[in-house]
Amino acid sequence: MINFKFQPDTYFSEEVSSALLVKLNFPESTWGEQISIYAHRLDYSIQLEAVDFYGNEYMLYPSKIEEPLNLEDLIYLIEGMQVNQDELEGKMELVLDGIPEATSTYYPDLEKYFDEKRKSFGLE
């Protein structure tokens, strides 16, 4: 059973102020897009950022948090992620088709959640 209320204590250590939270792979998309979501400690908040190979800008909701997200909120963040259409000039526009494959060292049930969701839609 997936624990949607699971919340890591922190994303950071004393020496580390940036962390890779999630790696997403969209195998059904035209280019097999891969997106990484990072957390950066800034003063007393955590800034979230999504990065891909093509330099597209993503809109994340929320993009700034006070404490680590629980799994349910992280899933909403991933599923609500959008390419910023205002920043596309000269960049390759991505179409995020399908349901992503996801991995995370901070959220052990994330991969299981998306694997189950992919299977329920006939994607393997």
Side-chain angles (χ1 to χ4, degrees):
M1 177 142 223
I2 295 174
N3 179 3
F4 290 101
K5 297 301 177 191
F6 171 79
Q7 180 180 24
D9 293 330
T10 185
Y11 299 136
F12 314 108
S13 66
E14 285 187 30
E15 306 84 35
V16 177
S17 61
S18 290
L20 173 60
L21 295 185
V22 180
K23 287 178 116 177
L24 301 170
N25 179 39
F26 290 81
E28 287 75 40
S29 288
T30 306
W31 305 103
E33 285 83 346
Q34 293 185 5
I35 299 171
S36 298
I37 299 176
Y38 290 90
H40 307 287
R41 182 173 40 204
L42 300 171
D43 297 323
Y44 298 102
S45 65
I46 301 169
Q47 188 74 36
L48 302 174
E49 172 188 36
V51 177
D52 71 11
F53 178 77
Y54 304 106
N56 289 298
E57 296 280 329
Y58 292 90
M59 295 183 296
L60 299 176
Y61 302 103
S63 62
K64 187 176 180 181
I65 55 178
E66 301 299 318
E67 61 185 23
L69 296 169
N70 65 35
L71 177 60
E72 182 177 33
D73 290 337
L74 179 66
I75 291 168
Y76 288 139
L77 179 124
I78 292 168
E79 292 181 340
M81 180 174 55
Q82 298 176 20
V83 176
N84 186 348
Q85 300 293 325
D86 296 337
E87 301 291 328
L88 281 177
E89 190 173 324
K91 296 179 184 168
M92 178 176 283
E93 181 176 355
L94 298 183
V95 178
L96 302 177
D97 289 333
I99 296 164
E101 299 169 335
T103 57
S104 174
T105 57
Y106 295 94
Y107 296 90
D109 286 343
L110 185 67
E111 185 171 353
K112 182 179 180 182
Y113 170 81
F114 280 106
D115 284 349
E116 289 177 3
K117 188 168 183 177
R118 288 179 56 77
K119 286 178 186 171
S120 73
F121 282 87
L123 304 170
E124 297 279 335

